[in-house]
Amino acid sequence: MIKKAQELLRHKVAKNSMSIFLIQFLSMLAPLLVLPYLSRTTSVDSFGLIMLVFSISAMSQIITDFGFNLSATYQIAKNKNDKIEINKIIGGVCSIKMLLLIPVIILVFLYNYHYKVFPSSDWILFTLLNVCFQSFIPIWFFQGVEKINSLLVATLFSKFLYVVLVFIFVRSDENSYLVILLYAISNLLNVYLAFLNIYKMGYKIVIPSLQEIIQLFKHSSQFFLSRAAVSIYSSISTFFVGTYGGMHQVALYGSSEKLFHAAQSVTSSVTQALFPYLTVNKKSKVLFISIIAIGLPLFIFLIPVYYFSSDILSLFFGEDFYLGGNIFKVFIITVGITFLSSMFGYPAFTLLDKVKYANYTIIVASVFQIAFLLILWFSDKVDGFNVAISVLITQSIILISRVILFIILKRKIIIDECK
């Protein structure tokens, strides 16, 4: 038993999962370390505005990423031994991202012009800088070549610097906008160190032909639709609460959602490591072992967290956030549902060479989420708890549809092979 556990831990998927988890955990840990400080240093409304900016940044990243965290990872994994092709993929992805930043910047200006959420031009400028810098962190490259450790040091250093600088420079509401500037600087440093590693590994940016860029764009468009659909029940939900529920509600909702994303980083690290591995190796046993190995301790951990939800929230963010305990409870349940739905997503469907079906389930579920949000808006019931419930229902729809589809497609493949 011990020997088997050691073999499992030495497996490439386990190592890459741990590296991706550490990167995502560090990315989540930095805000989690500073948010309790900020919730006590700034007012609830200023804290809510910071949550809203992080949500806008996350939504913007959905557009500038354009699904490359999945599609470029897939393409690089398939061309692992062809450096020339990988160099073109790097150049093509960066070129497309540059173009995608233009509509994103315009949309942020239009949003502020209509809703007047930013109190000064500094907030707008630093938000846009953060959006630009975070767009070029090339995690898709390191996932594709399965050398995610090379990005780990860069992420650790940049996020540590962010935390230290926030504690030094952010003291009150008056300079709370510096939180966004400092986060932008940490992302810029992360990009610089990551591309330094890419060049040290013998790869480089090579701009491909226009035809190749268009082909790369087309290939990623379906993944983009999937990622955009995900944003409807993640980042857009925070944005929706902040825009129509007020800064106090987005503060309660955003604090719970941050803890939710921290827990979710455990599950997504496994799925992101499994995806390129299963694309090449097609070992279904590895998928189901991973579900049990991660799922069992995760669900055991979630039980006491659910019970002490309000206390945990007030411990992290202060007594003003105790009332957000009910919102946090909903997110805790959602963590378990999300874990199962993500494992039965891209990792499961790549075993059947039917990755597009994982995208379809998300797109369909996003339609339900839009309907839920519209119902809340028309009935004037937009608050953190109701939006959290809508996210839970949407995630449940994704899980159920994926499991049913996987069983149907698997059975069809078995029948076809027997003919």
Side-chain angles (χ1 to χ4, degrees), residues 235-298:
S235 305
I236 285 181
S237 295
T238 307
F239 174 79
F240 192 80
V241 174
T243 304
Y244 299 108
M247 291 304 164
H248 188 269
Q249 278 296 313
V250 78
L252 296 178
Y253 181 90
S255 57
S256 294
E257 191 191 39
K258 283 296 177 185
L259 295 178
F260 164 68
H261 285 314
Q264 201 178 22
S265 66
V266 178
T267 62
S268 61
S269 63
V270 178
T271 57
Q272 287 181 52
L274 278 172
F275 183 46
Y277 176 82
L278 294 178
T279 297
V280 177
N281 296 282
K282 307 294 183 186
K283 293 182 179 180
S284 58
K285 186 179 178 182
V286 173
L287 173 64
F288 293 107
I289 289 173
S290 299
I291 291 173
I292 295 169
I294 303 297
L296 190 59
L298 175 66

Side-chain angles (χ1 to χ4, degrees), residues 20-67:
I20 294 171
F21 163 70
L22 287 172
I23 287 172
Q24 294 187 339
F25 179 72
L26 289 170
S27 297
M28 292 305 306
L29 183 64
L32 282 177
L33 286 174
V34 300
L35 288 180
Y37 169 75
L38 292 173
S39 65
R40 291 168 172 83
T41 306
T42 64
S43 66
V44 174
D45 283 351
S46 291
F47 184 82
L49 180 58
I50 292 169
M51 292 293 97
L52 183 61
V53 170
F54 280 139
S55 173
I56 291 171
S57 298
M59 286 166 53
S60 301
Q61 192 169 15
I62 297 295
I63 299 173
T64 57
D65 174 62
F66 203 71

Side-chain angles (χ1 to χ4, degrees), residues 116-130:
K116 304 283 191 300
V117 294
F118 295 116
S120 70
S121 57
D122 289 334
W123 280 90
I124 304 174
L125 174 62
F126 299 153
T127 299
L128 291 176
L129 285 175
N130 185 54

